[in-house]
Structures are given as structure tokens and as C-alpha cells.
Amino acid sequence: MPNTPFAAGALVLALHALPAGAQEVGGAAPAEPSSREIADRVQADVDETSLRWLGITRVRYSIPLEFSAGGGAVLARMPAGYDCTTFCEYRGFVAQIEPGSAGGQLGIGYARVIATPKPRSAFLNNVYVGWSARAVLVRTWGASELDPARQTLAGFEGQFALPRLSFNLGVLRRISSAHEGADRYVYTAGIGWGF
Amino acid sequence: MPAAARPAPPRFGSTVLFVTLLFGLGGAGAAPGLETDQFFAWGRHLEDMTEVLNARVNLELDRLVAELNREGRDRRCQKVRFRFFKRHRMLFFDGFETWSVNSPLVSRSPSGPEEMREFEQRYIYGGTSPLFDTGRWMPPSPTVEVNGVRLGTDKLTHFLGTAWYYHRWYRKARARGVTPAEAEDRAVHRGLQHEITILGRAVSGVLSLADLEANYEGMWFYEHLCAGDDPHIVYDEAVWRLRRSFDLRDYVTPEWDESYQPNIYVRRKWRKVKPRMLGYCPMLEHPQVRARRQEYAKRDRVTETEKLIDEMVAAGKLPDPSGFSIKSVCREAAN
């Protein structure tokens, strides 16, 4: 996993020896650890944490970006020994950049997501369920349906993700200048895949 | 003044392409499943995890006690129960389950990328479509062994997570003056309705009786957490303390093993599961499997959940679960 400190890796190796030792076939059986030893190992396993970052991607149709593809990362702290083969909960900072056919978006915020990276992948490939709350900066261009077509907006976006779909809702406030009568606020909504 | 963006002109072709791509990608990234499969663990060695899982729960109880002592005052037992529940509640899954599927201290099957790949090919729900089988939209629960019983790690979520709601229904009924037996009955009935509808059969096509067993036992764990004759946590002389350690052995029974306590399947699901289950018939003669099932039979008892299911079967509201057992499937195939 990227960004896993060396010390945490050493702990993982030490902890790995526990069940592996118990699974050895033949030879002298290792002494059974006492309840106190087991409790200490469990506590160490829970408390030794590391920061991990993993890539996130999404494609979606939304107002005002229309068709867009985003890439970014989630940075989360979790027990260092977690292998995340089945699933892990990633809880922490999220940042994503997302160019689209009618605009681009930069978002940063907080995310909680249950997901699994594929082996040797630095991306959260299987997102099971999750949500995020992000502060976003949007610049529209070209084919934008907004009036005026080119403007800069800032606001908030909430996202909820299921295994196949991801939904988002938000509100943006125009921060660039525009002609009189132009809408100041834009409600955003979108549907897509990924996180 | 708030205003929505102007409506976009119709772009039917590109939208269809996008939606197709969306579902295509969704299928490619499909989750292996929400269910658990103890058949896959048949013949595989697993260390008994009773002490390890007990230590994990007791660590959390110790921390709860420390937290209560930092506040330094008496609390209603229901508040204490909720504080414990909140400590390990996570998004959708329970913290104990998340730990047990990830910790290097927990012996489980499948474990690691290679065995996980094998599991995805062979597991009992693998014949269903990952696109349309909602049960496969969530990750699978590996099997662990506790006090000689093989169970899915999802049972930890049922026992310590879903059971919280059982207990809340129980307490609500008690608060209305209902007798303990009637309150228990109401909680169990309501739990079954949830498992039939939103949590189980209607969504994934599987009604797991083993899940119900774990929910039921968890209800009593919460009840006795800080109340009754033999509570785990007490407030004594202005100090909170862990009076009695938690022990999974008090709760886990062979009925938590889904290869022993059969699930009830809806027809469409059973059509896919049955052929895969048939593949395990020869394994019934495996020494490890035979010994375990004999041991289970010795420890087997009629549980409250089984009584309720029997009532439902007698009333024609549920099919007989014994028809979905491995023994029944293998006997039928042999004839």
C-alpha cells in the first residue's frame, strides 16, 4: 500500500507470524500465547496505524459539468496491519480534479467509503458504499448551459455512492463577474459511476 | 436568488452511450458478494479465534469503561449500551467485522488475494449474476472459527450491530409494560420481518437463519452489558469497572454456521445455489467435515429462532429450511 511507513510494515510482518505459526503442519508446536499476550497483540494491532492514500476515479453526468471524468485521492488513517483484501473503511481527506465537457471542477473535503483496491492497484476499484462532503471550485466553459457560459463558481457538494452508482447534489455561488440579471446560485446534481 | 441551470437540450444518443458505459463499468467493478459461505472453508484449516475475538471486544469494553470513568458519573444502562454500540459502528459494517476481515491476527478463509480469487470462482453464490444479484454488490464475509463453530464474519455485525436494534425493540416493549417473554417475542418477530424484507430475502434472495441466531444472541449481550444479575460493566463506589469479561463462547452455537443451519432461498436464487451446493456432497465424507458435523449435532438445540421459523413454516408463510440443507440436496441427488 502506498505511504505505509517502514515501521508499520515491520509490525505487520511481526503480527503475520502469529496465525502463520499456528498453521504450521508438523514440527514442534509453538507455545500457546497467554490471554494477556493475545490482548496485548490485539491492542498493538488496533493502535498501530498508518496513513494510506489511494486513487479514486469517477465518470458522471452532472449539472453544470455535463459529461466528466474525475481523478483524485483519498487519504485515510487505519490500522497498519489491515490488508483490505475483503474491504476497508477509508475515512479521511479527499481531493479530486474533474474536467468535463462543459466545465471543470476541483473539490476537497472529507470522505467515508467502504471499498477494496484490487491487488497491486493504487486505486479503490470496488466501491461498496460511501459518502463525501466537498468544497468545490467550478469553472464552466464551451458548451455550458449556464448563462453566461464561462463563469467561476464555488460551493459545496455532497456525494453518496453505492456499488454501481454514485449520486451528488450541491449548491454553487457565482464568484466571477457577469451581466446583470444572471443567476447567482446554481443547484448541482449528478449521477455516475465511481467515487 | 437561487435558480437552476437552463435545461440541457436532448442528447439521447450520447446519454444512452453514457448509461451503457456506466453499467458496463459497474459490472466490471462488481463486488464479490454480501453473503458468507462456510462450504468454501470445508477441509481448510482454521485456527480457533475465540481468544483473539474476545480480546478485541474486551479491549473495546475496557476503553468504554475508561471513557465512562473520565466523565466520572453514573449513567443509565441504556446510555452505556448505546455508547458501546457507537464505539464500533461504522458505515454499513461493524467495526469488529472490519477488523476481523483485515487483521493479520485473525485466521480466516478466504484470506489474501490468491484465496480470494479462488473464492470468487468457487463460492456458493458465484453462479449468480454480479450485475443483477444485489447480494453480490457487497463484499463477502470470510469464515472464522469460534469455539469449534465455523461462522461468517458478518455474524459479528449481526451480533454486535444489528442486535442493537433488536435490543432497542425489546427495551421499548418492556418500557410499555410488556412482560420479558412477550418483549423478546416482539423483538424476534420484528427482526424476522426485517430479515425477510430489507435486510435479507427480498434484497438478496436469501433468508439467513444463522444471521437471526446471531441477532438474537446479541440482543441478550446488550441486555446483560450493564444490567441484570451478572452484568459485564458496573458502576460501583463511584467507579465504572469491567466486572466480567466478554466471552463469545456464551453466545456462539452451531446454528451460526450456514453450512449446518440452512438458509431459505427464493426460487431464482436457489436455482443458482443448488448446483454449487451439490458440488460439496463428496466433502460430507471428509474427516474434518464429518467430525465437525457430528460435534455440531451433539451441541445442537432447539433455539428460539428455530421455534419461530417452525411456526412460520407451519403457517405456510415460509418454506421448510430443511429442504435447502446440504444433506437434503445430496440425498435428492443420490436418489
Side-chain angles (χ1 to χ4, degrees):
Chain A
M1 210 56 65
N3 283 5
T4 303
F6 176 76
L11 173 78
V12 173
L13 288 175
L15 291 172
H16 261 294
L18 284 170
Q23 285 169 10
E24 280 170 9
V25 178
E32 287 290 318
S34 69
S35 296
R36 187 67 254 163
E37 282 172 328
I38 291 173
D40 288 345
R41 286 168 186 176
V42 166
Q43 185 168 346
D45 183 41
V46 171
D47 291 345
E48 288 292 335
T49 60
S50 65
L51 270 177
R52 301 183 190 191
W53 65 263
L54 279 154
I56 50 169
T57 54
R58 72 176 175 190
V59 287
R60 63 172 178 157
Y61 181 83
S62 66
I63 296 168
L65 303 186
E66 300 189 1
F67 296 101
S68 61
V74 171
L75 183 70
R77 181 170 288 283
M78 66 176 66
Y82 274 22
D83 67 10
C84 297
T85 305
T86 311
F87 68 86
C88 272
E89 184 184 50
Y90 297 84
R91 196 189 316 195
F93 175 80
V94 62
Q96 196 166 41
I97 189 161
E98 186 172 16
S101 59
Q105 175 175 302
L106 181 68
I108 55 168
Y110 178 81
R112 277 184 82 171
V113 56
I114 300 276
T116 316
K118 280 189 177 153
R120 293 179 293 280
S121 168
F123 284 86
L124 288 178
N125 308 89
N126 282 337
V127 171
Y128 298 117
V129 62
W131 63 264
S132 71
R134 310 176 191 203
V136 295
L137 184 67
V138 172
R139 175 68 185 175
T140 59
W141 54 59
S144 171
E145 297 300 322
L146 299 185
D147 177 27
R150 289 166 188 269
Q151 53 178 293
T152 305
L153 307 107
F156 296 95
E157 181 188 279
Q159 178 190 18
F160 180 68
L162 290 167
R164 271 149 227 293
L165 293 173
S166 150
F167 308 91
N168 64 275
L169 287 171
V171 61
L172 302 172
R173 186 179 192 275
R174 179 168 47 77
I175 55 174
S176 59
S177 58
H179 62 80
E180 206 167 310
D183 294 331
R184 175 157 286 187
Y185 289 92
V186 173
Y187 290 128
T188 69
I191 182 170
W193 174 83
F195 194 79
Chain B
M1 245 206 2
R6 285 204 312 268
R11 294 174 179 172
F12 183 71
S14 55
T15 303
V16 167
L17 179 68
F18 180 75
V19 171
T20 308
L21 192 67
L22 193 72
F23 279 90
L25 286 169
L34 171 73
E35 313 294 349
T36 187
D37 175 8
Q38 273 70 76
F39 292 106
F40 179 78
W42 276 12
R44 290 169 198 257
H45 177 75
L46 285 175
E47 286 300 307
D48 194 286
M49 286 293 104
T50 312
E51 291 296 334
V52 171
L53 293 174
N54 281 346
R56 180 68 188 89
V57 176
N58 280 316
L59 173 66
E60 223 51 56
L61 286 173
D62 276 336
R63 287 178 173 180
L64 172 68
V65 166
E67 190 182 298
L68 291 166
N69 279 326
R70 274 198 298 276
E71 291 164 11
R73 62 190 169 103
D74 198 1
R75 292 250 177 216
R76 280 177 48 231
C77 184
Q78 191 61 5
K79 285 255 182 209
V80 173
R81 292 179 182 121
F82 183 60
R83 291 279 283 274
F84 179 72
F85 169 67
K86 248 185 13 177
R87 287 191 68 82
H88 53 88
R89 180 179 58 180
M90 293 171 77
L91 192 64
F92 204 82
F93 296 92
D94 189 88
F96 293 116
E97 181 180 2
T98 306
W99 179 78
S100 67
V101 303
N102 282 298
S103 170
L105 298 177
V106 178
S107 168
R108 57 185 176 268
S109 176
S111 174
E114 271 183 33
E115 201 182 9
M116 183 59 84
R117 267 196 299 278
E118 185 190 349
F119 180 79
E120 284 168 16
Q121 298 299 316
R122 291 189 48 197
Y123 96 127
I124 201 148
Y125 302 111
T128 58
S129 161
L131 190 59
F132 298 109
D133 182 354
T134 49
R136 297 185 65 188
W137 290 9
M138 287 288 152
S141 300
T143 298
V144 293
E145 189 167 321
V146 174
N147 196 27
V149 176
R150 297 275 176 101
L151 52 106
T153 53
D154 64 318
K155 300 302 175 282
L156 298 174
T157 293
H158 283 278
F159 179 74
L160 293 159
T162 315
W164 160 257
Y165 299 98
Y166 268 57
H167 183 262
R168 220 169 53 167
W169 301 329
Y170 173 81
R171 291 307 315 174
K172 272 189 181 170
R174 290 286 291 128
R176 289 191 197 113
V178 169
T179 65
E182 174 63 18
E184 175 190 332
D185 198 46
R186 284 189 194 182
V188 171
H189 269 90
R190 194 164 168 186
L192 175 63
Q193 286 312 316
H194 273 241
E195 188 72 21
I196 287 175
T197 51
I198 54 170
L199 288 177
R201 198 171 65 157
V203 174
S204 67
V206 183
L207 171 60
S208 166
L209 306 189
D211 289 356
L212 294 172
E213 297 284 355
N215 293 343
Y216 176 83
E217 294 294 339
M219 176 174 74
W220 293 117
F221 161 71
Y222 276 107
E223 178 59 14
H224 300 137
L225 181 63
C226 43
D229 297 335
D230 193 18
H232 291 284
I233 295 174
V234 289
Y235 187 67
D236 196 13
E237 294 178 351
V239 176
W240 286 97
R241 65 185 175 85
L242 185 60
R243 183 185 153 272
R244 177 166 68 92
S245 293
F246 169 83
D247 192 342
L248 263 173
R249 280 174 280 238
D250 296 340
Y251 304 98
V252 172
T253 67
E255 285 82 6
W256 290 32
D257 183 335
E258 293 191 13
S259 71
Y260 181 71
Q261 180 81 318
N263 297 323
I264 293 174
Y265 298 92
V266 297
R267 198 172 298 150
R268 67 182 154 77
K269 187 92 170 193
W270 182 235
R271 272 200 301 268
K272 308 277 188 184
V273 170
K274 191 178 173 183
R276 294 213 163 207
M277 201 185 275
L278 269 170
Y280 285 101
C281 290
M283 288 284 285
L284 279 169
E285 293 309 313
H286 188 286
Q288 185 213 60
V289 174
R290 207 164 50 184
R292 188 177 305 282
R293 290 177 71 86
Q294 281 168 358
E295 188 56 33
Y296 280 179
K298 279 189 217 158
R299 295 166 63 178
D300 201 344
R301 63 195 167 87
V302 179
T303 65
E304 291 304 312
T305 302
E306 285 171 333
K307 286 180 197 165
L308 173 62
I309 296 296
D310 286 347
E311 280 172 29
M312 302 283 280
V313 171
K317 292 178 181 170
L318 282 176
D320 187 347
S322 65
F324 301 102
S325 71
I326 179 89
K327 281 184 95 171
S328 165
V329 166
C330 300
R331 200 183 307 123
E332 189 187 308
N335 291 333

